[in-house]
Amino acid sequence: MKKQTVLLLAAVAMLLLFAGGAWWYQNWQAEKASALARENSPTLVPDHAITLGPASARVTIVEFFDPACETCAVFHKHVHDLMAADPQRIRLVLRYAPFHQGSRAVVKILEAARRQDKYWETLELLFASQNHWASHHKAKAELVWPLLSQVGVDVERLRADTNDPALSALVRQDLLDAAKLGIRKTPGFLVNGKPLTSFGLPQLQQLVQSEIDARY
Amino acid sequence: MTDPSVDADAFDTNWLILFGVWLMACAATLGSLFFSEVMDFPPCSLCWYQRIFMYPMVLVLGAGLVPFDGKAIRYALPLAVGGWLTAFYHTLLYEGIIPESAAPCSQGVSCSEDYSELLGFLSIPLLSLLAFTAMVAALLVLYKRLDK
């Protein structure tokens, strides 16, 4: 055998080993995530979580997100499109996984805005202005405050509400549940308790569609 | 049996040593990519420096294998030594022998953060140190053999 052949065969063998290992690991992780979601299904939709869509919907998307996460901003639009296509059958439950530095303060602003019935407007504003207040993986809540008047919230009241320990407790609970469910990246989706194990829009659409087909 | 110096296709010991070092560089490269891309362990800054030393060796040594070129050692050895020094420092840091405050860490990933240790005691920095040690040693042995 020629040396070139040996080298080439060794390289191909190692790459195959890598690909096979990756395939095996991902399957193993997907199985683990499904098992974790089954075990922890009662923690998926707590009373404190904000929801969108009819309560009678038989397909529930639980999304763990971080307002400072760029992919979350992109997927926020995708999820809206998904729901708009089938408004009676899909319900969205938003949970927090503020993994970015400084993100928890922004989540508290969002939850305080919810007390003034401005949750969705504030969320849109946060995502639209994300590259202003969240850059280089650091969220700066102080840059969010001047923007809030745009959505018509009472900023003084909001500021007082963000100091409520109940909001810290809410964020802690969501982070705890995210850890239990093995969510390490955002956005993390579970549809009717089934985790989205391979991330991507087509995969999410497929998972939602399969749940719609199963329940309707 | 023909004289290996005449037969270009012969797998003499020198070639096999260099091939072994190349295999180690490939294994370390793919292994580190497996940790970061498949298992989602974010590489810390020290891991990145070690990668900078390790990854080029796959190409430098690969080029030195077909046809066999002992000069490849001259180019690979500085990389291996640089990687070894970084891995040594990283291992000391990871084992807590050097305080973490001395670590040049950024991007939110601590260089002494504890990741699951694979075989009980083999941490990722120790794996790196072992790989670089074996590679430096093998390259030095080969250098001596060719020097004769």
Side-chain angles (χ1 to χ4, degrees), chain A residues 18-131:
Chain A
F18 183 88
W23 182 82
W24 171 83
Y25 184 84
Q26 267 151 8
N27 275 351
W28 180 60
Q29 285 289 306
E31 267 171 43
K32 220 167 69 169
S34 303
L36 275 177
R38 274 196 302 277
E39 279 165 33
N40 295 290
S41 57
T43 64
L44 276 178
V45 187
D47 293 336
H48 70 246
I50 188 149
T51 63
L52 185 69
S56 60
R58 293 184 210 159
V59 176
T60 301
I61 303 176
V62 176
E63 178 184 355
F64 279 86
F65 82 105
D66 180 341
C69 145
E70 286 167 45
T71 313
C72 297
V74 175
F75 268 75
H76 181 67
K77 289 191 195 77
H78 292 326
V79 170
H80 266 264
D81 293 344
L82 256 173
M83 294 179 70
D86 212 340
Q88 293 311 309
R89 295 173 176 182
I90 306 173
R91 185 169 70 122
L92 174 68
V93 178
L94 287 185
R95 308 283 313 268
Y96 303 109
F99 294 147
H100 285 80
Q101 207 180 327
S103 247
R104 290 181 199 203
V106 181
V107 169
K108 286 184 194 171
I109 291 175
L110 193 55
E111 279 293 318
R114 181 178 168 190
R115 296 184 177 177
Q116 297 182 33
D117 266 332
K118 296 283 183 200
Y119 186 89
W120 300 102
E121 295 87 335
T122 309
L123 185 60
E124 293 297 335
L125 171 78
L126 285 176
F127 280 145
S129 59
Q130 195 187 56
N131 52 21

Side-chain angles (χ1 to χ4, degrees), chain B residues 46 49-54 57 77-90 128-129 132-133 136:
Chain B
L46 281 176
Y49 294 133
Q50 285 158 77
R51 287 169 162 214
I52 288 165
F53 289 116
M54 184 65 83
M57 281 204 278
L77 202 52
L79 290 169
V81 170
W84 187 88
L85 289 171
T86 319
F88 182 64
Y89 175 64
H90 194 182
S128 167
L129 184 64
F132 277 118
T133 305
V136 170

Side-chain angles (χ1 to χ4, degrees), chain A residues 37 58 134 140 164-165 167 175 179 193 208:
Chain A
R58 293 184 210 159
K140 294 196 176 78
D164 186 345
L167 295 192
L175 277 167
V208 170

Side-chain angles (χ1 to χ4, degrees), chain B residues 19-30:
Chain B
F19 182 64
V21 183
W22 178 78
L23 280 180
M24 280 190 267
C26 289
T29 296
L30 290 173

Side-chain angles (χ1 to χ4, degrees), chain B:
Chain B
M1 184 93 192
T2 50
D3 185 352
S5 61
V6 185
D7 184 0
D9 269 348
F11 293 102
D12 58 291
T13 316
N14 291 345
W15 190 86
L16 287 173
I17 291 173
L18 201 62
F19 182 64
V21 183
W22 178 78
L23 280 180
M24 280 190 267
C26 289
T29 296
L30 290 173
S32 76
L33 287 171
F34 197 89
F35 284 135
S36 67
E37 303 310 307
V38 179
M39 297 176 78
D40 287 323
F41 292 168
C44 76
S45 57
L46 281 176
C47 302
W48 272 111
Y49 294 133
Q50 285 158 77
R51 287 169 162 214
I52 288 165
F53 289 116
M54 184 65 83
Y55 292 5
M57 281 204 278
V58 173
L59 302 175
V60 170
L61 296 172
L65 282 169
V66 281
F68 181 80
D69 179 4
K71 280 208 180 72
I73 302 167
R74 282 170 39 81
Y75 309 119
L77 202 52
L79 290 169
V81 170
W84 187 88
L85 289 171
T86 319
F88 182 64
Y89 175 64
H90 194 182
T91 306
L92 291 182
L93 202 70
Y94 189 88
E95 301 298 335
I97 297 163
I98 294 178
E100 200 193 344
S101 58
C105 288
S106 60
Q107 295 199 339
V109 187
S110 161
C111 298
S112 53
E113 192 172 333
D114 210 347
Y115 282 111
S116 53
E117 300 192 348
L118 299 165
L119 307 166
F121 69 100
L122 269 182
S123 63
I124 296 174
L126 192 58
L127 271 175
S128 167
L129 184 64
L130 288 176
F132 277 118
T133 305
M135 290 166 78
V136 170
L139 285 172
L140 284 176
V141 167
L142 187 58
Y143 185 76
K144 286 268 177 247
R145 286 176 62 96
L146 292 172
D147 211 24
K148 273 177 198 163

